[in-house]
Amino acid sequence: MLSKEEFINNAKGGKILTRKCTKCGHLHLVTTYFCQNCGNKGFENVIVDGKGTVATYTIITVPPEGYEKDVPYAWIVMNVDNSELRISGFMANIKSPADLPLGIRVKITGYDEHGIIIEKQ
Ligand SMILES: [Zn+2]
């Protein structure tokens, strides 16, 4: 099982704790009973570097409650290097698409009340 606390501790260190299929090597971000790729039931915990590129994002200018002090920010989907993993997180101070070209290098730098924190590399 993946514990939330372990996942958060890894994210604080710039790492991603994943569940790797022991048969095909497919990585999963959440605990699953069957590999989403091959249906195998065996997994092991694998820690990967929280680095990659921006796949897509949404700039938030109208914040949900509790995030008023943080706008504008971006909610980012990142392609993790050397895997098919996609992970989403928070990037502060993004005002317009000019601030964040798609494909730019980014990395996980922490975890707080926003969730995973992503910054430009
Ligand atoms: Zn598999």
Side-chain angles (χ1 to χ4, degrees), residues 20-26 28 34-40 42-43:
K20 182 181 182 180
C21 172
T22 53
K23 192 171 169 191
C24 76
H26 192 79
H28 304 73
F34 299 96
C35 173
Q36 290 164 9
N37 186 50
C38 74
N40 179 42
F43 297 94

Side-chain angles (χ1 to χ4, degrees), residues 59-65 67-68 71-73:
I59 295 174
I60 311 293
T61 53
V62 180
E65 200 177 330
Y67 284 61
E68 291 84 352
V71 292
Y73 64 88

Side-chain angles (χ1 to χ4, degrees), residues 65-84:
E65 200 177 330
Y67 284 61
E68 291 84 352
K69 66 177 167 46
D70 299 310
V71 292
Y73 64 88
W75 191 252
I76 290 179
V77 178
M78 164 178 147
N79 288 321
V80 179
D81 285 348
N82 307 314
S83 76
E84 290 169 17

